[in-house]
Amino acid sequence: MTSFYLSKPYDPPQAPENLPLDRPWALLGGISPQKFMKSYWHKKPLLVRGAIPAFEIAKQMGEPLGSAISPEALFKIAGNDVVESRLIKAKPWSFTDGPFKKKSLPTLNTPDWTLLLQGMEAQHPAAAKVLSWFRFIPDARLDDLMISIAGPGGGVGPHFDSYDVFLIQMSGRRRWRISQQKDLALNANLPLKILQNFKVEQEWDLEPGDMLYLPPHVAHDGIALDGGCQTWSVGFRAQSYKEMLQEGLWRLAESLEDIPELERRFADPKQVATNSAEQLPAEIIEQIAQKLKGLKLDRVETFLPGIAAYLSEPKPQAYFAGSETQYSPEEFTLLLTKQTLTPHPQTRLLALGKTIFCNGEDMTSGQARPTQIAWRSLAAKKQVKGAFGGLTAGSSLFEAFEAGWLVF
Ligand code: SIN
Ligand code: CO
């Protein structure tokens, strides 16, 4: 008799702190994260049967597992106006944005509908835990975890995404059909992004615990085979180069505000008499070249803080309520010795060497050492606890806690 203990509802395991990147992982079908990144990531699809072995084990024990989040809980979340939700119906295609009242949502066995809920890591701890399994991929690339729940026949139609995505089957079965076709033209007459000519190349029925990884631009269509079919999609975003450069340059331009020396006016006592008055003077060109060099504006490192700050911006719809209880910095310091402080699920953290950016702001430059150490732990381990000396009211850690960016 097997002696496994599986929690009900299923409680996904926590990712270990030091990920064994060179060892086979069940989640990746018995290959290591290193091999996955080398051979599949951003290159080709991968179907993994039994990516979450708990489902298979439970089935063998005669006690099949359900999703960690019930349909009722999902319907309730769909009524929350801070959650991005969409209801898509097929035959004919239509779509509506949430929030949705429970009464306006179809019953699980009604055919041809699907409800999509974005940013679920902020709504349910099981979704946040599933995201933590993918920390062998840089946080900067992570978008969010979307959950779809559908009636039989429900889906969003054949389409492609610009993102890398891991589609994890969590409840019921879904038939995935994919194609690496070049023709990605969309049907202009539909309210949804649906491919004009979808030519199926491969097809699989995914059972709970199975997973399909798709790189960007692989055409796909997932159709629910059972009522209450749940697919959890872990999505990885990629900005355009234009967006990253523009956002980095913006922030760099703003940072010049802090350099008083640049307020000085252009001076050209060495200007010589000229026959080509219409030309931009060599004096300006030379002096600007000097300034660019002096400010290291000719070096990539100078642009990186702006880009890191940008990539650490939370989603536009993120909402932070601020801490419920008012603590003094002393009380906060004491609490930190007893309880674990973690980022709010909608907080984004990103490190550039030892500098930590949180929700678009540099949290460590000019801060006292204990504050810096706490932030590094938060960025790397998503948690911090311990004795950090007297954190003052000006500590960015205390301020982020007060703003609700960090929570006990
Ligand atoms: C779904 O979960 O139904 C849709 C996910 C996708 O195809 O991007
Ligand atoms: Co898709």
Side-chain angles (χ1 to χ4, degrees):
M1 188 63 211
T2 22
S3 58
F4 292 108
Y5 171 75
L6 292 171
S7 60
K8 272 194 170 263
Y10 174 60
D11 187 20
Q14 194 89 50
E17 215 165 80
N18 291 309
L19 300 176
L21 300 177
D22 57 349
R23 305 288 305 276
W25 282 25
L27 181 68
L28 302 172
I31 64 172
S32 67
Q34 281 172 356
K35 167 102 176 104
F36 172 80
M37 295 308 278
K38 194 160 176 235
S39 305
Y40 295 93
W41 173 253
H42 221 68
K43 298 171 218 39
K44 59 184 184 196
L46 177 67
L47 171 74
V48 180
R49 295 284 182 197
I52 309 175
F55 282 93
E56 186 52 37
I57 295 166
K59 205 166 127 190
Q60 281 172 18
M61 287 161 69
E63 284 187 67
L65 283 173
S67 165
I69 314 185
S70 68
E72 294 71 37
L74 291 176
F75 288 164
K76 198 166 167 214
I77 292 168
N80 186 337
D81 58 9
V82 300
V83 177
E84 205 185 325
S85 56
R86 281 168 294 162
L87 179 65
I88 294 174
K89 289 184 180 168
K91 302 175 190 170
W93 290 112
S94 72
F95 101 92
T96 342
D97 282 320
F100 300 99
K101 290 210 172 76
K102 173 128 205 283
K103 274 187 284 173
S104 66
L105 292 168
T107 57
L108 293 185
N109 287 316
T110 306
D112 306 327
W113 63 274
T114 185
L115 173 71
L116 306 174
L117 301 163
Q118 298 287 155
M120 286 297 293
E121 68 283 5
Q123 302 304 320
H124 198 285
K129 243 187 222 181
V130 167
L131 265 198
S132 76
W133 298 346
F134 294 87
R135 277 197 95 212
F136 59 91
I137 300 163
D139 291 340
R141 289 283 268 108
L142 183 64
D143 187 40
D144 72 346
L145 190 145
M146 179 184 86
I147 294 183
S148 71
I149 179 160
V156 302
H159 67 284
F160 68 93
D161 299 302
S162 312
Y163 284 13
D164 297 85
V165 65
F166 295 87
L167 301 152
I168 310 170
Q169 197 54 29
M170 281 291 190
S171 182
R173 296 160 306 148
R174 182 179 285 275
R175 175 162 300 157
W176 282 106
R177 300 185 302 160
I178 71 164
S179 166
Q180 311 221 37
Q181 63 192 59
K182 293 265 173 321
D183 174 11
L184 294 177
L186 299 176
N187 187 330
N189 304 317
L190 293 175
L192 295 156
K193 286 188 176 165
I194 291 184
L195 290 166
Q196 218 163 37
N197 305 301
F198 181 50
K199 298 202 182 72
V200 181
E201 290 169 357
Q202 282 172 293
E203 176 179 312
W204 305 281
D205 289 351
L206 270 70
E207 303 257 346
D210 294 344
M211 180 175 85
L212 176 62
Y213 162 74
L214 295 177
H217 301 123
V218 172
H220 56 284
D221 187 17
I223 297 171
L225 299 179
D226 304 304
C229 164
Q230 272 189 46
T231 304
W232 292 23
S233 316
V234 178
F236 288 83
R237 61 184 188 166
Q239 285 76 7
S240 67
Y241 292 105
K242 180 175 88 179
E243 210 173 317
M244 279 198 276
L245 287 172
Q246 283 184 334
E247 294 287 338
L249 285 166
W250 256 108
R251 286 167 175 78
L252 183 62
E254 272 181 9
S255 73
L256 299 184
E257 289 286 334
D258 309 331
I259 309 173
E261 127 80 16
L262 296 182
E263 302 286 350
R264 247 183 351 108
R265 282 180 194 281
F266 169 68
D268 56 354
K270 292 189 189 139
Q271 178 65 53
V272 292
T274 180
N275 263 326
S276 34
E278 76 284 9
Q279 290 293 331
L280 187 72
E283 263 302 305
I284 292 191
I285 297 171
E286 271 159 35
Q287 289 191 35
I288 291 295
Q290 287 275 330
K291 281 275 174 286
L292 290 176
K293 229 173 155 184
L295 293 165
K296 300 194 178 135
L297 291 175
D298 56 345
R299 308 246 304 255
V300 68
E301 303 87 81
T302 314
F303 292 82
L304 299 183
I307 291 174
Y310 164 59
L311 292 175
S312 81
E313 290 277 6
K315 289 194 162 228
Q317 59 277 10
Y319 171 72
F320 303 98
S323 88
E324 279 168 19
T325 333
Q326 293 276 324
Y327 292 108
S328 68
E330 295 74 30
E331 287 166 330
F332 174 71
T333 309
L334 186 65
L335 214 54
L336 203 50
T337 62
K338 296 178 184 155
Q339 289 184 38
T340 305
L341 189 66
T342 58
H344 180 282
Q346 291 186 308
T347 285
R348 288 192 81 104
L349 281 158
L350 207 59
L352 175 63
K354 290 188 168 178
T355 310
I356 308 302
F357 296 86
C358 177
N359 292 343
E361 289 180 27
D362 177 343
M363 293 312 211
T364 44
S365 299
Q367 292 283 324
R369 236 181 108 66
T371 296
Q372 295 189 3
I373 292 166
W375 276 112
R376 276 172 216 144
S377 168
L378 279 163
K381 301 184 181 142
K382 302 278 183 199
Q383 54 173 291
V384 66
K385 184 184 174 188
F388 285 92
L391 294 169
T392 59
S395 162
S396 60
L397 196 69
F398 183 60
E399 285 176 353
F401 166 72
E402 285 196 305
W405 294 3
L406 305 173
V407 289
F408 280 113

